[in-house]
């Protein structure tokens, strides 16, 4: 993304005030390789999208320094970035093994992640993890307060920072606080299992603006506040929460992707044949799945549906190949280790049952692909199988659509992914819990006429192009600016 498409109002506001972004992952990491220090940029559209905005505003980005040479190049944890043309400050927080254990692997990913996805079984809200989560949130908040000037716009990213806004609010009552929650918000009867339910809502309600991907998550959040926070007044029509003299505005803005850049990447020719050869992707027709190996993404459910599809459509053997691109994630957590074993076993089973000497029904790519290869895979796949059991948005669905520059692919999309609210009408909708119907949906997608495929894809491409990352950024930042005058900033509400 470049900042040319930011609205004049946002550009003007940002040139006059400091923007402080707070996220768990950092935009640049320094590591040592063969004695040399190298810089890498983590994959991810949002990080790449915020970076040019930061360059423009000369603000500060506060994040966990996870690179092994991060603190060698930083002074007091602070380093100027981008490394080749420094224009803003990256302030790195050094987390110990114990911090990571309690804050990241513990409370963030064993309590909040499953809870917000409505998956009660793996939820573990350990009070000790929560204390570490609180302590780490406080450290991030202290770093914010150190940087913040009067009127700074502070933008928290995600569920790692449920408590930090409250800590900042106490110290910097005049700051404008916004948070974007990347994952779903659960229903009230799911949320109530969390023993720290009220403390978390107290943290989040310190924001002036809280943004989710969809209207459903906003409604769930307002319902949870109404049931959990006794002194809060919830106005469902205006989607605001009042507490004492302060107001939190709650909005749905579905995160978009940089569609222009995606199209450029997908247009690079020559990449696909090398990739297909390297991984042995045979067959005329290709379906893809791209996800971190996470139990919310419905990967075993997808493989079961593919197995059923081959059982019922043996003629497709040798013709139809499913490519599973998924790198391991959060493997330290038992539920993730178990998922990875389930995926291994299922892939082996299907390949043993249906594979031939020259052809494998499922090709597995375990490593992170460079972007141009990922986008070549998107472009050349006839089907995309997005079968999340629950997903905040699912950017893969949007990236697939934007990569369909030939306009004839088919997106099979779970009705439980946030992306379904925008793309569901023209996608082939699936319920990943129903193996038979999922297998039949694959069959149906393969039998759509070229005209129908093109019509559906054109409608989806319009949506992804019109409401892209730039449009989303304008909505979030303009709404944050609108939230400012509503407060009397002379009083701190603890
Ligand atoms: C969370 C929410 C929400 C994947 N493999 C490769 C690769 N990727 C990139 C994709 C995509 C990203 O990773 C995955 O994004 P998702 O949105 O699908 O999922 P989460 O990681 O779970 O993200 C989700 C999102 O936050 C944003 O708010 O949509 O609901 O769970 O961008 O392209 N990138 C490269 N190689 C790979 O092999 N380069």
């Amino acid at each position: 993304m470049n900042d040319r498409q930011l609205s004049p109002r946002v550009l003007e506001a940002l040139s006059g005030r400091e923007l402080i972004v707070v996220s768990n992952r950092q935009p640049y990491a320094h590591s040592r390789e063969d004695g040399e220090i190298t810089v890498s940029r983590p994959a991810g559209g949002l990080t790449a999208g915020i970076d040019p905005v930061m360059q423009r505003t000369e603000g500060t980005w506060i994040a966990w320094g996870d690179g092994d040479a991060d603190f060698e190049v930083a002074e007091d944890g602070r380093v100027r970035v981008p490394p080749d043309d420094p224009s803003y400050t990256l302030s790195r927080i050094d987390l110990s093994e114990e911090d990571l254990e309690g804050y990241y692997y513990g409370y963030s990913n064993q309590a909040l992640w499953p809870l917000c996805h409505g998956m009660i079984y793996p939820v573990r809200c350990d009070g000790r993890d929560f204390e570490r989560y609180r302590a780490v949130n406080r450290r991030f908040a202290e770093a914010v307060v150190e940087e913040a000037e009067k009127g700074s716009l502070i933008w928290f990213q995600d569920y790692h920072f449920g408590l930090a806004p409250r800590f900042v609010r106490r110290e910097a009552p005049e700051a404008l606080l916004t948070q974007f929650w990347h994952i779903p918000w659960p229903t009230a009867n799911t949320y109530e299992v969390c023993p720290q339910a009220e403390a978390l809502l107290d943290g989040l309600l310190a924001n002036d603006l809280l943004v989710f991907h969809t209207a459903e998550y906003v409604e769930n959040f307002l319902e949870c506040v109404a049931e959990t926070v006794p002194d809060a007044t919830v106005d469902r029509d205006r989607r605001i929460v009042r507490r004492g003299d302060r107001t939190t505005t709650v909005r749905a803005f579905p995160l978009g992707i940089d569609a222009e850049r995606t199209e450029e990447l997908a247009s690079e020719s020559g990449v696909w044949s090398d990739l297909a050869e390297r991984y042995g992707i045979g067959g005329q027709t290709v379906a893809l799945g791209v996800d971190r190996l996470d139990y919310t993404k419905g990967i075993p459910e997808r493989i079961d549906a593919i197995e059923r599809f081959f059982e019922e459509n043996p003629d497709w053997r040798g013709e139809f190949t499913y490519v599973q691109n998924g790198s391991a994630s959060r493997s330290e957590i038992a539920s993730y280790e178990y998922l990875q074993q389930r995926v291994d076993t299922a892939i082996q089973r299907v390949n043993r049952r249906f594979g031939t000497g020259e052809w494998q029904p499922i090709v597995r790519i375990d490593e992170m692909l460079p972007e141009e290869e990922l986008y070549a895979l998107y472009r050349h796949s006839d089907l995309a199988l997005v079968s999340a059991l629950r997903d905040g948005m699912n950017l893969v669905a949007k990236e697939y659509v934007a990569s369909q520059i030939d306009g004839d692919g088919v997106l099979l999309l779970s009705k439980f992914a946030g992306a379904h609210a925008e793309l569901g009408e023209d996608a082939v909708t699936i319920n990943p819990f129903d193996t038979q119907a999922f297998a039949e949906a694959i069959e149906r997608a393969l039998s759509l006429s070229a005209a129908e495929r093109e019509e559906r894809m054109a409608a989806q491409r319009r949506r992804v192009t019109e409401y892209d990352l730039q449009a989303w950024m304008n909505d979030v930042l303009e709404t944050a600016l609108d939230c400012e005058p509503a407060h009397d900033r002379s009083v701190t509400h603890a």
Side-chain angles (χ1 to χ4, degrees):
M1 167 171 170
N2 55 52
D3 64 10
R4 280 194 313 269
Q5 289 108 326
L6 285 176
S7 72
R9 174 157 179 239
V10 169
L11 283 175
E12 196 199 317
L14 289 182
S15 64
R17 70 165 82 218
E18 192 196 19
L19 176 64
I20 300 178
V21 169
V22 183
S23 65
N24 180 60
R25 294 276 170 203
Q26 56 179 345
Y28 299 90
H30 287 85
S31 315
R32 241 180 214 290
E33 269 169 40
D34 305 325
E36 297 283 306
I37 293 187
T38 57
V39 186
S40 62
R41 303 195 60 185
L46 183 64
T47 315
I50 296 178
D51 182 70
V53 179
M54 292 301 289
Q55 292 185 35
R56 170 91 186 197
T57 67
E58 303 191 5
T60 303
W61 192 319
I62 300 169
W64 165 36
D66 63 334
D68 58 18
D70 272 349
F71 292 90
E72 277 181 58
V73 299
E75 232 174 85
D76 232 4
R78 301 164 98 247
V79 61
R80 299 284 293 167
V81 290
D84 47 1
D85 183 18
S87 61
Y88 70 92
T89 300
L90 170 60
S91 173
R92 288 168 168 156
I93 307 290
D94 194 5
L95 297 180
S96 66
E97 282 300 315
E98 293 74 27
D99 289 334
L100 281 180
E101 197 64 34
Y103 145 81
Y104 182 75
Y105 292 111
Y107 204 77
S108 295
N109 286 314
Q110 291 188 66
L112 291 175
W113 177 268
L115 180 76
C116 287
H117 285 86
M119 297 181 181
I120 304 282
Y121 175 66
V123 168
R124 184 170 164 269
C125 294
D126 186 329
R128 205 182 278 175
D129 288 344
F130 184 68
E131 282 317 309
R132 192 60 79 153
Y133 179 85
R134 189 203 296 274
V136 170
N137 267 249
R138 193 190 293 271
R139 281 179 57 201
F140 275 83
E142 282 163 3
V144 170
V145 171
E146 211 169 287
E147 302 294 340
E149 297 160 1
K150 201 169 173 194
S152 293
L153 170 53
I154 295 150
W155 193 8
F156 296 99
Q157 301 295 325
D158 231 347
Y159 61 101
H160 311 92
F161 302 110
L163 302 175
R166 175 61 63 206
F167 292 129
V168 174
R169 176 61 74 216
R170 285 188 188 134
E171 302 298 322
E174 293 188 8
L176 182 53
L177 306 189
T178 293
Q179 186 148 10
F180 184 67
W181 196 262
H182 290 250
I183 62 177
W185 191 274
T187 57
N189 68 350
T190 295
Y191 188 64
E192 73 180 1
V193 306
C194 176
Q196 296 85 16
E198 193 174 346
L200 286 161
L201 290 177
D202 177 62
L204 291 172
L205 290 173
N207 285 297
D208 297 290
L209 172 67
L210 177 60
V211 181
F212 294 96
H213 284 294
T214 71
E216 181 192 337
Y217 309 153
V218 169
E219 277 166 29
N220 289 348
F221 179 82
L222 294 176
E223 177 72 21
C224 288
V225 173
E227 297 215 348
T228 319
V229 187
D231 62 334
T233 309
V234 176
D235 183 335
R236 282 197 176 75
D237 294 334
R238 294 175 62 205
R239 288 164 295 147
I240 57 173
V241 178
R242 280 189 212 286
R243 255 181 116 202
D245 62 330
R246 298 205 78 107
T247 303
T248 303
T249 300
V250 189
R251 288 285 181 273
F253 294 126
L255 179 58
I257 60 163
D258 188 340
E260 206 179 298
R261 182 158 180 275
T262 303
E263 283 181 19
E264 276 165 26
L265 281 161
S267 309
E268 281 185 31
S269 51
V271 184
W272 170 244
S273 47
D274 286 354
L275 183 75
E277 197 183 346
R278 181 151 31 101
Y279 289 101
I281 306 171
Q284 288 299 307
T285 303
V286 175
L288 66 75
V290 174
D291 353 58
R292 281 180 306 100
L293 290 178
D294 193 295
Y295 53 82
T296 60
K297 302 288 181 184
I299 304 167
E301 290 76 4
R302 194 183 306 157
I303 296 170
D304 287 351
I306 288 165
E307 184 171 26
R308 185 70 59 86
F309 168 78
F310 280 115
E311 275 171 15
E312 302 203 341
N313 300 277
D315 291 353
W316 279 98
R317 285 176 71 184
E319 290 297 320
F320 174 87
T321 307
Y322 169 64
V323 179
Q324 169 66 47
N325 172 216
S327 41
S329 166
R330 308 172 191 167
S331 311
E332 289 78 352
I333 301 173
S335 46
Y336 283 79
E337 206 190 335
Y338 172 62
L339 181 266
Q340 287 162 22
Q341 285 165 7
R342 265 183 85 192
V343 171
D344 287 348
T345 313
I347 292 180
Q348 281 165 19
R349 187 182 67 235
V350 175
N351 281 347
R352 228 183 3 249
R353 279 188 73 188
F354 300 106
T356 61
E358 315 73 64
W359 166 85
Q360 293 285 285
I362 302 183
V363 171
R364 185 170 182 165
I365 302 177
D366 287 335
E367 56 269 359
M368 281 294 273
L369 290 173
E371 274 187 323
E372 59 280 8
E373 293 190 356
L374 175 67
Y375 287 93
L377 177 62
Y378 279 142
R379 177 179 176 184
H380 291 276
S381 292
D382 303 279
L383 310 183
L385 308 183
V386 176
S387 57
L389 307 180
R390 204 48 91 189
D391 212 335
M393 168 53 62
N394 195 292
L395 294 180
V396 167
K398 292 188 170 178
E399 290 165 3
Y400 175 71
V401 166
S403 301
Q404 286 301 301
I405 46 183
D406 309 303
D408 56 357
V410 182
L411 172 65
L412 283 83
L413 181 58
S414 164
K415 59 185 190 184
F416 307 117
H420 195 265
E422 292 168 274
L423 301 176
E425 209 174 307
D426 298 290
V428 172
T429 295
I430 51 172
N431 177 346
F433 296 97
D434 185 343
T435 306
Q436 181 63 25
F438 190 169
E440 287 167 9
I442 297 175
E443 220 181 301
R444 198 165 65 252
L446 290 171
S447 66
L448 289 176
S449 69
E452 191 169 349
R453 280 183 278 136
E454 282 162 18
E455 196 179 314
R456 284 167 179 260
M457 189 45 74
Q460 292 174 86
R461 287 174 63 72
R462 267 196 301 280
R463 169 67 196 177
V464 170
T465 316
E466 274 163 19
Y467 199 79
D468 61 357
L469 179 61
Q470 290 84 344
W472 175 85
M473 193 92 71
N474 282 327
D475 270 348
V476 173
L477 296 175
E478 283 187 16
T479 311
L481 295 168
D482 286 343
C483 288
E484 190 166 44
H487 306 289
D488 171 5
R489 293 180 179 280
S490 59
V491 187
T492 313
H493 178 81

